[in-house]
Amino acid sequence: MRIGMIGLGRMGGNMARRLMKAGHQVVVYDVSPGAREALAKDGATESGSLAELVKKLADAPRAIWVMLPAGSATGQTVTELAGLLEPGDILIDGGNSFYKDDIARAKKLAEKDIRYVDCGTSGGVWGSERGYCMMIGGPKEAVDFLDPIFAALAPGCGDIPRTPGRKQDDPRAERGYIHAGPSGAGHFVKMVHNGIEYGLMQAYAEGFEILRNKNAHDLPEDERFALNLPDIAEVWRRGSVVSSWLLDLGAAALAKDADLDSFSGYVQDSGEGRWTVEAAIEESVPATVLSAALYARFRSRQTHGFAEKLLSAMRFGFGGHVEGQEPVDPAPKGATPRQPAG
Amino acid sequence: MRIGMIGLGRMGGNMARRLMKAGHQVVVYDVSPGAREALAKDGATESGSLAELVKKLADAPRAIWVMLPAGSATGQTVTELAGLLEPGDILIDGGNSFYKDDIARAKKLAEKDIRYVDCGTSGGVWGSERGYCMMIGGPKEAVDFLDPIFAALAPGCGDIPRTPGRKQDDPRAERGYIHAGPSGAGHFVKMVHNGIEYGLMQAYAEGFEILRNKNAHDLPEDERFALNLPDIAEVWRRGSVVSSWLLDLGAAALAKDADLDSFSGYVQDSGEGRWTVEAAIEESVPATVLSAALYARFRSRQTHGFAEKLLSAMRFGFGGHVEGQEPVDPAPKGATPRQPAG
Amino acid sequence: MRIGMIGLGRMGGNMARRLMKAGHQVVVYDVSPGAREALAKDGATESGSLAELVKKLADAPRAIWVMLPAGSATGQTVTELAGLLEPGDILIDGGNSFYKDDIARAKKLAEKDIRYVDCGTSGGVWGSERGYCMMIGGPKEAVDFLDPIFAALAPGCGDIPRTPGRKQDDPRAERGYIHAGPSGAGHFVKMVHNGIEYGLMQAYAEGFEILRNKNAHDLPEDERFALNLPDIAEVWRRGSVVSSWLLDLGAAALAKDADLDSFSGYVQDSGEGRWTVEAAIEESVPATVLSAALYARFRSRQTHGFAEKLLSAMRFGFGGHVEGQEPVDPAPKGATPRQPAG
Amino acid sequence: MRIGMIGLGRMGGNMARRLMKAGHQVVVYDVSPGAREALAKDGATESGSLAELVKKLADAPRAIWVMLPAGSATGQTVTELAGLLEPGDILIDGGNSFYKDDIARAKKLAEKDIRYVDCGTSGGVWGSERGYCMMIGGPKEAVDFLDPIFAALAPGCGDIPRTPGRKQDDPRAERGYIHAGPSGAGHFVKMVHNGIEYGLMQAYAEGFEILRNKNAHDLPEDERFALNLPDIAEVWRRGSVVSSWLLDLGAAALAKDADLDSFSGYVQDSGEGRWTVEAAIEESVPATVLSAALYARFRSRQTHGFAEKLLSAMRFGFGGHVEGQEPVDPAPKGATPRQPAG
């Protein structure tokens, strides 16, 4: 079928290509002419504006996939498109929008009979090759209408073993996409996915720091090990309980540089982790691990928060402790648990 | 080669069978005659006591694998065996011993020239089929001598893709086992493995609770979704960032019963999670996620800790709040975040 | 001066009385006629409706204090009063409203030149005797106009020692109230106050649980102590670093019943703790302790969350572990850290 | 009575002075001659070695208070003294020893009929003036014998109000010291005291960081406040639920410098926080807040832990994200919660 693709970054560009490989026709737009031309070379129909893109999608109902990184850009684009589209047309937001924004947008677009589909898309830079895992929210007819698109983007069953005992609830799940529920449900499920992702990553991260610090100079001599982290990551990929795709990525990074010296350790977060914690709070779920993972990222971006200065100030207040001024080197750090300082 | 196997439970019995399939001869012992007979039927040489087992392992150096669930039982068995073995013999502890106990045991046995190998073994009930992931500590010559045994127990390369960029550090890692370092290093790595495992599990667990509670009756109507958890677990197995073996297991459990009604939610912990946190503390690693995961299990085994009673008591003290006496039903819980009670 | 007081519960009633003791005239209203009559007996002017209350506050500008427990009730009352008041009149919300609601309300009321003051009020049931600590947001002229009211409600300097080195920033702070900033600032500061309160309470709660469990039967004999918790709480009140008003309350509760048997351990939270964590997330502050304290309350209200069932399900999946069905008695619990179960 | 004091630092020196003021005779020793002379000027009997100190304490049973900062120094000194003392003599360790070390020491000294008393001492640099809060472990006769010493060091009842409802369990608690139990119990209670202290401090620290960051430039304009932290700390001292001695200290620090610019934010921990978490783990207590407080200190001493580098590496692996290299300035940080980056 024919579909529009707006936003040709790492994600949108690759998705357009995967759709074309599957035989779909893709009309593309991006603010960057270079990005448009690159796709045109690969077979896409270029357009120089949203209006032109809409025009080139002649047949009703039109389907347009918006794949923009930032929530605010998505909102603007959706608003602009709303003025160009006709009743029955379908807008898909494939980015990482906040699910409550989806609910509001869907309501507004419904007033003009434009159908809005929110699609959480996982797979990162690997998706073009492996296929994208998609969690979809919105009206059933629209989701069903778009099925050829989702089927083309999804990884399909591949050689991943079937889940034993699985009943045929939604057969699409085994091919890598689901209709999760009404508007917002797709991005909600993707949001929790990312919240979990933060937790998983932090669990590995802490574990590998414990392994690495096991060589700390102030541990007893025979309790110090110089562990080979690349080998450990590798062996855990094979038959252990903690094997995962994230571990595969960690193993690849460690294989390249066991010290990870090219990484600063300053870690961004992208919104979904925050929203996941907020959802947990709304639902009274004690999400201790997901929150701790989020906070580790916050802290990684500070030098010293005000909180830490106040701790020092209070310690000085009751004990006269003057804190050391220089941060220790993180690598050979270690405990002096039997030598209380005050 | 010829090896002794002591402890024929779920783990030890299956490992003996896997060794025999690979052509090794196994002399077995277990306190339960039934367990010994079962293995004998499968081709193992039965023995009725530790002494008999040692005798039946005629050739020097003997190799004996101890596979007992509890640390105390392992300690006792090792002590008893030490009196029966000769210089050069090798003892392997394949259970989940505390790595500092390994270091002490290895030293004591070294006085008699008995070589002690600690082997952390992952794979659970699936290991007999998939192979066991092994993290090994101890003297190099002993570990090298036992290589045919480890190779037979390990999963081998199989069809797991190679890690891109991996240099040939220890080729055994790709076959599923490593020599991690001196005595204790094997169980230390396995310990951290389990610590990570707790963190990963808790991340999934919290995420799925957030998904499930999204239908809570006190959320706004259009923000409530009735999400299909088995489908979500399934779709995440396919191309998403959070795919893992633990997720596969979770998907299988949810496929069988989306409500998990057969599980009480009373969760044991097995020691390694605690030791991992203690190691983090010794090394000054801020292991917030691994600790939170451990504490979630502690809390799952309480009805109400004294801590919670003291919270209620203090609330009563300053606000006159009398807490509701009845625990709410956990399922349709939800927040009343805009309705502060006092 | 003359002021209206709406809401004559534990807080509002006592505040009205404290105001009258200081010579102010108070016109009162409550949905419960009994509550109105009780105040009338103590000298207040009763009114049977909001309209009547407004009428009885003849002189412009009127000042009306709304002291309702729930945010929704406050919102409704403010809306209704807005229709009855005149330009220049002042509304004070002394409850625990969400500060963003204050900002919205203040804007709306400003359209009619009604001035809105948000006042976070701490002190609980003790306030009538000790005085109330107040954090105030809103337009300066309105806050200044109300100064006699705040001064009467506040504890005053009393015999609390002056802070050494304190400059004369806002002299009101030493008398127990501050003008924190524009609309919302008062409730924001009170919100963080309560967030901190949760953290403090949880710190004591965990500490006392550790003290109490030190008698757990599975600890080594000479490491078990039967500690006297009332005495410990008492001694910490006297010269220790952890002395505080909350500890005073804890000591009183423990003095009455060292086992706190009259408390269920089911602990409510009132909204501010949630909002504090949400504010931390908005500001990227790693609020690990405040969040953990909040989650401990969430968990105290569950029997077993879905998260815990999923943990059990995954454990069964990889290890065949069948979890014990019966929650252990929390009191004589203890670790078996050297005896891993699987 | 007559007592020896070994270790004349900030704590030991002041305690000796407080004892002399109460009429006791104190024989002092310190490795630093200057410290000894200073005490001698204030009326103490100087001694140049442990042997001389023991000799100058002529009357049996001798009582010697050891007040050394580090656990290892205490251990050595106790061992040396053991060789000099006679049956019936009493050794008091007033420092912050690990309680399991106390148990071992007490056993060893008991073989020579030397009585060992462990005394956790709180009060910091303020103790000389306010008196010291003491938690004492050891044999009853020895603790009773030393009562005049403890009574002199303790704050006494002072003007701290009595706890309502308190029964006369141990009258010493109201005077600021208790006999907590057998050997180790004193330091155990002090250890938990410090664990709680960490939690309390972190709760305030996070709260004040949330207040301070409320001026972050990327929050909506009308939701940004420029809060006066010294005033807030001051007002909370007066009638609020979070008033405490630690808050008094925080208020004093903020009064001096609202930005706390003289503090680096690099925060030490002294052992007790670690041991408290280890005790929680041994007892299966879910000590989420006490642990989080400890970890905040660990993290404050790192620049970037290996964990954070691995997070960055994994993010790069799946998303091609290259993390910003420069840490942002912590002060005007804020959330971009609606603008997910990937």
Side-chain angles (χ1 to χ4, degrees):
Chain A
M1 58 185 276
R2 205 170 171 79
I3 190 167
M5 175 69 70
I6 294 169
L8 305 172
R10 218 157 15 200
M11 291 290 284
N14 283 339
M15 292 171 84
R17 283 187 190 92
R18 190 171 169 98
L19 286 170
M20 291 188 289
K21 261 184 223 159
H24 296 291
Q25 295 169 292
V26 187
V27 185
V28 298
Y29 172 73
D30 191 284
V31 287
S32 147
R36 302 190 310 239
E37 283 161 30
L39 262 292
K41 267 184 203 151
D42 289 349
T45 303
E46 201 181 338
S47 62
S49 69
L50 295 184
E52 190 186 332
L53 178 136
V54 170
K55 217 171 147 186
K56 286 187 172 166
L57 291 166
D59 307 330
R62 295 178 194 87
I64 301 180
W65 189 293
V66 181
M67 200 68 203
L68 296 171
S72 58
T74 301
Q76 268 182 297
T77 304
V78 165
T79 305
E80 200 177 334
L81 281 170
L84 301 166
L85 295 181
E86 287 168 42
D89 287 350
I90 305 174
L91 266 179
I92 308 112
D93 175 6
N96 279 327
S97 295
F98 184 47
Y99 79 97
K100 294 190 186 185
D101 291 343
D102 290 318
I103 296 173
R105 270 180 212 152
K107 263 189 205 162
K108 230 176 176 173
L109 291 169
E111 294 168 11
K112 307 189 182 191
D113 267 329
I114 298 170
R115 294 173 289 173
Y116 179 82
V117 170
D118 55 286
C119 176
T121 313
S122 183
V125 293
W126 297 76
S128 63
E129 184 190 318
R130 299 203 315 167
Y132 299 91
C133 172
M134 286 167 295
M135 298 136 260
I136 308 160
K140 185 182 182 313
E141 320 77 55
V143 175
D144 287 348
F145 178 83
L146 294 167
D147 195 72
I149 298 298
F150 295 128
L153 290 170
C157 291
D159 52 3
I160 294 173
R162 296 202 57 188
T163 294
R166 180 169 162 78
K167 290 151 229 115
Q168 203 60 316
D169 283 1
D170 185 341
R172 292 170 290 191
E174 292 192 333
R175 301 203 300 271
Y177 61 110
I178 53 167
H179 183 202
S183 287
H187 278 144
F188 184 83
V189 174
K190 174 57 163 48
M191 175 195 87
V192 176
H193 167 278
N194 283 31
I196 292 172
E197 175 191 306
Y198 285 28
L200 301 179
M201 288 172 72
Q202 184 66 19
Y204 287 116
E206 294 177 4
F208 277 96
E209 183 163 321
I210 295 170
L211 292 173
R212 183 175 161 91
N213 280 19
K214 189 54 183 167
N215 198 22
H217 59 81
D218 51 1
L219 296 176
E221 185 64 39
D222 59 1
E223 294 184 11
R224 295 172 54 185
F225 306 130
L227 300 168
N228 183 312
L229 269 49
D231 281 354
I232 291 171
E234 185 62 35
V235 81
W236 284 352
R237 297 180 62 226
R238 300 173 178 279
S240 101
V241 171
V242 303
S243 63
S244 72
W245 191 57
L246 281 165
L247 179 64
D248 293 349
L249 298 175
L254 289 164
K256 230 170 130 190
D257 173 12
D259 295 317
L260 300 178
D261 273 338
S262 62
F263 296 97
S264 65
Y266 171 98
V267 192
Q268 284 291 0
D269 72 285
S270 61
E272 292 89 356
R274 298 172 190 236
W275 303 332
T276 301
V277 174
E278 288 170 359
I281 291 174
E282 281 189 355
E283 301 174 13
S284 303
V285 172
T288 52
V289 156
L290 303 192
S291 303
L294 178 66
Y295 292 146
R297 295 191 176 195
F298 288 176
R299 181 57 188 81
S300 83
R301 302 203 298 268
Q302 299 183 332
T303 40
H304 281 294
F306 192 71
E308 293 168 4
K309 296 192 175 202
L310 187 58
L311 291 181
S312 288
M314 285 191 281
R315 272 172 64 80
F316 180 76
F318 65 75
H321 305 287
V322 178
E323 308 280 1
Q325 299 297 313
E326 290 307 301
V328 283
D329 186 79
K333 143 189 33 75
T336 49
R338 298 289 120 93
Q339 301 208 11
Chain B
M1 58 186 276
R2 203 172 174 77
I3 190 168
M5 175 69 71
I6 295 168
L8 304 172
R10 222 160 10 203
M11 292 290 284
N14 283 339
M15 292 172 83
R17 283 186 190 91
R18 191 171 168 98
L19 285 171
M20 290 188 290
K21 260 184 224 160
H24 296 292
Q25 294 169 294
V26 186
V27 185
V28 299
Y29 172 72
D30 191 284
V31 285
S32 146
R36 302 190 310 240
E37 283 161 30
L39 262 292
K41 267 184 204 151
D42 289 349
T45 304
E46 200 180 338
S47 62
S49 68
L50 294 183
E52 191 187 332
L53 178 137
V54 170
K55 216 172 151 185
K56 286 185 171 167
L57 291 167
D59 307 332
R62 293 178 194 85
I64 301 179
W65 190 293
V66 181
M67 201 68 202
L68 297 170
S72 57
T74 301
Q76 267 181 300
T77 304
V78 166
T79 305
E80 200 177 333
L81 282 170
L84 300 167
L85 294 181
E86 288 169 42
D89 287 350
I90 305 174
L91 265 180
I92 308 113
D93 175 7
N96 279 327
S97 295
F98 184 48
Y99 79 96
K100 295 190 185 184
D101 292 343
D102 290 319
I103 296 172
R105 269 180 213 151
K107 262 189 204 160
K108 229 175 176 176
L109 292 170
E111 294 168 11
K112 306 189 180 186
D113 267 329
I114 298 170
R115 294 173 290 172
Y116 178 83
V117 170
D118 55 286
C119 176
T121 314
S122 183
V125 292
W126 298 76
S128 64
E129 184 190 319
R130 300 204 312 168
Y132 299 90
C133 173
M134 287 167 293
M135 298 137 259
I136 308 159
K140 185 181 182 314
E141 320 76 55
V143 175
D144 287 348
F145 178 82
L146 294 168
D147 194 71
I149 297 299
F150 294 127
L153 290 170
C157 292
D159 52 5
I160 294 174
R162 295 202 58 190
T163 294
R166 180 169 164 79
K167 291 151 226 114
Q168 203 59 315
D169 284 3
D170 184 340
R172 293 169 289 192
E174 293 193 333
R175 302 203 300 270
Y177 61 108
I178 53 168
H179 182 202
S183 287
H187 278 144
F188 184 81
V189 174
K190 174 56 163 48
M191 173 195 87
V192 175
H193 167 280
N194 283 31
I196 292 173
E197 175 192 305
Y198 285 27
L200 302 179
M201 289 172 73
Q202 184 66 18
Y204 287 116
E206 293 177 5
F208 277 96
E209 183 163 321
I210 295 170
L211 293 173
R212 183 176 162 90
N213 280 19
K214 188 55 183 164
N215 199 21
H217 59 82
D218 51 1
L219 296 176
E221 185 65 37
D222 59 2
E223 294 184 11
R224 294 171 54 186
F225 307 130
L227 300 168
N228 183 314
L229 269 49
D231 281 354
I232 291 172
E234 185 62 35
V235 82
W236 285 351
R237 296 180 63 227
R238 299 173 179 280
S240 101
V241 172
V242 303
S243 63
S244 71
W245 191 58
L246 281 165
L247 179 64
D248 292 348
L249 298 175
L254 288 164
K256 230 170 131 190
D257 173 12
D259 295 318
L260 300 178
D261 273 339
S262 63
F263 296 97
S264 64
Y266 170 99
V267 192
Q268 284 291 359
D269 72 283
S270 62
E272 292 89 355
R274 300 174 188 234
W275 304 332
T276 301
V277 174
E278 288 171 357
I281 291 174
E282 280 188 355
E283 301 175 12
S284 303
V285 172
T288 53
V289 156
L290 303 192
S291 302
L294 177 66
Y295 293 147
R297 297 193 175 193
F298 288 176
R299 181 57 188 82
S300 83
R301 303 202 297 269
Q302 297 184 334
T303 41
H304 282 295
F306 192 71
E308 293 169 4
K309 297 191 175 205
L310 186 58
L311 291 180
S312 288
M314 285 191 280
R315 271 172 63 80
F316 180 76
F318 64 76
H321 305 285
V322 178
E323 309 280 3
Q325 300 297 313
E326 289 307 301
V328 283
D329 186 80
K333 144 189 31 73
T336 48
R338 297 290 119 94
Q339 302 207 12
Chain C
M1 59 185 276
R2 203 171 174 79
I3 189 166
M5 176 68 71
I6 294 168
L8 305 171
R10 224 162 5 205
M11 292 288 285
N14 282 340
M15 292 171 84
R17 284 186 188 91
R18 190 169 170 100
L19 286 170
M20 290 187 290
K21 261 183 223 159
H24 297 292
Q25 294 170 293
V26 187
V27 185
V28 299
Y29 173 71
D30 191 285
V31 286
S32 147
R36 302 188 313 237
E37 283 161 31
L39 263 292
K41 267 184 203 151
D42 289 350
T45 304
E46 200 181 338
S47 62
S49 67
L50 295 183
E52 191 186 333
L53 178 137
V54 170
K55 215 170 150 187
K56 287 186 171 166
L57 290 166
D59 307 331
R62 294 178 194 87
I64 302 180
W65 190 294
V66 182
M67 201 68 202
L68 297 172
S72 57
T74 301
Q76 267 182 299
T77 304
V78 166
T79 305
E80 199 176 334
L81 282 169
L84 301 166
L85 295 180
E86 286 168 42
D89 286 352
I90 303 174
L91 266 180
I92 308 113
D93 175 6
N96 279 326
S97 294
F98 185 49
Y99 79 97
K100 295 190 184 183
D101 291 344
D102 290 319
I103 296 172
R105 269 179 213 152
K107 264 189 203 161
K108 230 177 175 174
L109 292 169
E111 294 168 11
K112 307 189 181 189
D113 268 330
I114 299 169
R115 294 174 291 174
Y116 178 83
V117 169
D118 56 286
C119 176
T121 314
S122 182
V125 292
W126 297 76
S128 63
E129 184 189 319
R130 301 203 312 168
Y132 299 91
C133 173
M134 286 166 294
M135 298 136 260
I136 308 159
K140 184 181 183 311
E141 320 76 54
V143 175
D144 287 348
F145 178 84
L146 294 167
D147 195 72
I149 298 298
F150 294 128
L153 290 171
C157 291
D159 52 5
I160 294 174
R162 294 203 58 190
T163 294
R166 179 169 163 79
K167 291 150 229 115
Q168 203 59 315
D169 284 1
D170 184 341
R172 293 169 290 192
E174 292 193 332
R175 302 204 300 272
Y177 61 111
I178 53 167
H179 182 202
S183 286
H187 278 144
F188 184 83
V189 174
K190 174 55 163 46
M191 175 195 86
V192 176
H193 167 278
N194 283 31
I196 292 172
E197 175 192 307
Y198 284 28
L200 302 179
M201 288 171 73
Q202 184 66 20
Y204 287 117
E206 293 177 5
F208 277 96
E209 184 164 321
I210 295 171
L211 293 173
R212 184 175 159 91
N213 280 19
K214 190 55 183 164
N215 198 20
H217 58 82
D218 50 3
L219 296 176
E221 187 63 39
D222 60 1
E223 294 184 11
R224 295 171 53 184
F225 306 131
L227 301 168
N228 183 313
L229 268 49
D231 281 354
I232 291 171
E234 185 61 34
V235 83
W236 285 351
R237 296 180 63 227
R238 301 174 177 279
S240 100
V241 172
V242 303
S243 63
S244 72
W245 191 56
L246 280 166
L247 179 63
D248 292 350
L249 298 176
L254 288 165
K256 231 171 129 188
D257 173 13
D259 296 316
L260 300 178
D261 273 338
S262 64
F263 296 98
S264 65
Y266 170 100
V267 192
Q268 283 292 359
D269 72 286
S270 62
E272 292 89 356
R274 299 171 188 234
W275 304 333
T276 302
V277 174
E278 288 171 357
I281 291 175
E282 281 189 354
E283 301 175 11
S284 304
V285 172
T288 52
V289 155
L290 304 193
S291 302
L294 178 66
Y295 293 146
R297 295 192 177 194
F298 287 177
R299 181 58 188 81
S300 83
R301 302 202 298 269
Q302 298 183 332
T303 40
H304 281 293
F306 192 71
E308 292 169 3
K309 295 190 176 204
L310 186 58
L311 292 180
S312 288
M314 286 190 281
R315 271 172 64 81
F316 180 76
F318 65 74
H321 305 287
V322 178
E323 309 280 2
Q325 299 297 313
E326 289 307 302
V328 283
D329 187 78
K333 142 188 33 73
T336 49
R338 298 291 119 92
Q339 301 206 10
Chain D
M1 59 185 276
R2 203 173 174 78
I3 190 167
M5 175 69 70
I6 294 168
L8 304 172
R10 222 160 9 203
M11 292 290 285
N14 283 339
M15 293 171 83
R17 284 186 189 90
R18 192 171 167 98
L19 286 170
M20 290 187 291
K21 260 183 223 158
H24 296 292
Q25 295 170 294
V26 186
V27 185
V28 300
Y29 172 73
D30 191 283
V31 285
S32 146
R36 299 183 321 233
E37 283 160 30
L39 262 291
K41 266 183 204 153
D42 289 347
T45 304
E46 199 180 340
S47 60
S49 68
L50 295 184
E52 190 186 334
L53 178 135
V54 170
K55 214 170 153 188
K56 286 185 172 168
L57 290 167
D59 306 331
R62 294 177 193 88
I64 301 179
W65 189 293
V66 181
M67 201 67 202
L68 297 171
S72 57
T74 301
Q76 267 181 300
T77 305
V78 166
T79 304
E80 198 176 334
L81 282 170
L84 301 165
L85 295 180
E86 286 168 41
D89 287 350
I90 304 175
L91 265 180
I92 308 112
D93 174 7
N96 278 327
S97 295
F98 184 48
Y99 79 96
K100 295 190 185 182
D101 291 343
D102 289 320
I103 296 172
R105 268 180 214 152
K107 263 190 203 160
K108 226 173 179 178
L109 292 169
E111 294 167 11
K112 308 188 178 188
D113 267 330
I114 298 170
R115 294 172 291 173
Y116 178 83
V117 170
D118 55 286
C119 176
T121 314
S122 183
V125 292
W126 297 76
S128 65
E129 184 190 317
R130 300 202 315 168
Y132 299 90
C133 173
M134 288 167 293
M135 298 136 259
I136 308 159
K140 186 182 182 311
E141 320 77 54
V143 175
D144 287 348
F145 178 83
L146 294 167
D147 195 71
I149 297 299
F150 294 127
L153 290 170
C157 291
D159 52 4
I160 294 174
R162 294 202 58 188
T163 294
R166 179 169 164 79
K167 291 148 228 117
Q168 203 59 317
D169 284 2
D170 184 341
R172 294 170 288 191
E174 293 193 333
R175 303 203 300 271
Y177 60 109
I178 53 167
H179 181 202
S183 285
H187 278 144
F188 184 83
V189 174
K190 174 57 162 49
M191 173 195 87
V192 176
H193 167 279
N194 282 32
I196 292 172
E197 176 192 305
Y198 284 28
L200 302 179
M201 288 172 73
Q202 184 66 19
Y204 287 116
E206 294 178 5
F208 277 96
E209 183 164 320
I210 294 170
L211 292 173
R212 184 176 160 90
N213 280 19
K214 189 55 183 163
N215 199 20
H217 59 81
D218 52 1
L219 296 176
E221 185 65 37
D222 60 0
E223 293 184 12
R224 294 172 53 186
F225 307 130
L227 301 168
N228 183 312
L229 268 49
D231 281 354
I232 292 171
E234 185 62 34
V235 83
W236 285 351
R237 296 180 63 226
R238 299 171 179 283
S240 101
V241 172
V242 303
S243 63
S244 72
W245 191 57
L246 280 165
L247 179 64
D248 292 349
L249 298 175
L254 288 165
K256 231 172 131 187
D257 173 12
D259 295 317
L260 300 178
D261 273 339
S262 63
F263 296 98
S264 65
Y266 170 98
V267 192
Q268 284 291 359
D269 73 283
S270 62
E272 292 89 355
R274 301 174 187 233
W275 304 332
T276 302
V277 174
E278 288 171 358
I281 291 174
E282 280 188 354
E283 300 175 13
S284 304
V285 172
T288 53
V289 156
L290 304 193
S291 302
L294 177 66
Y295 293 146
R297 297 193 174 192
F298 287 177
R299 180 58 187 81
S300 83
R301 302 202 297 269
Q302 298 183 333
T303 41
H304 281 294
F306 192 71
E308 292 169 4
K309 297 191 174 204
L310 186 59
L311 291 180
S312 289
M314 286 191 280
R315 271 171 64 80
F316 180 76
F318 66 76
H321 305 286
V322 178
E323 309 280 1
Q325 299 297 314
E326 289 308 300
V328 285
D329 185 79
K333 144 189 28 74
T336 49
R338 297 290 120 94
Q339 302 205 13

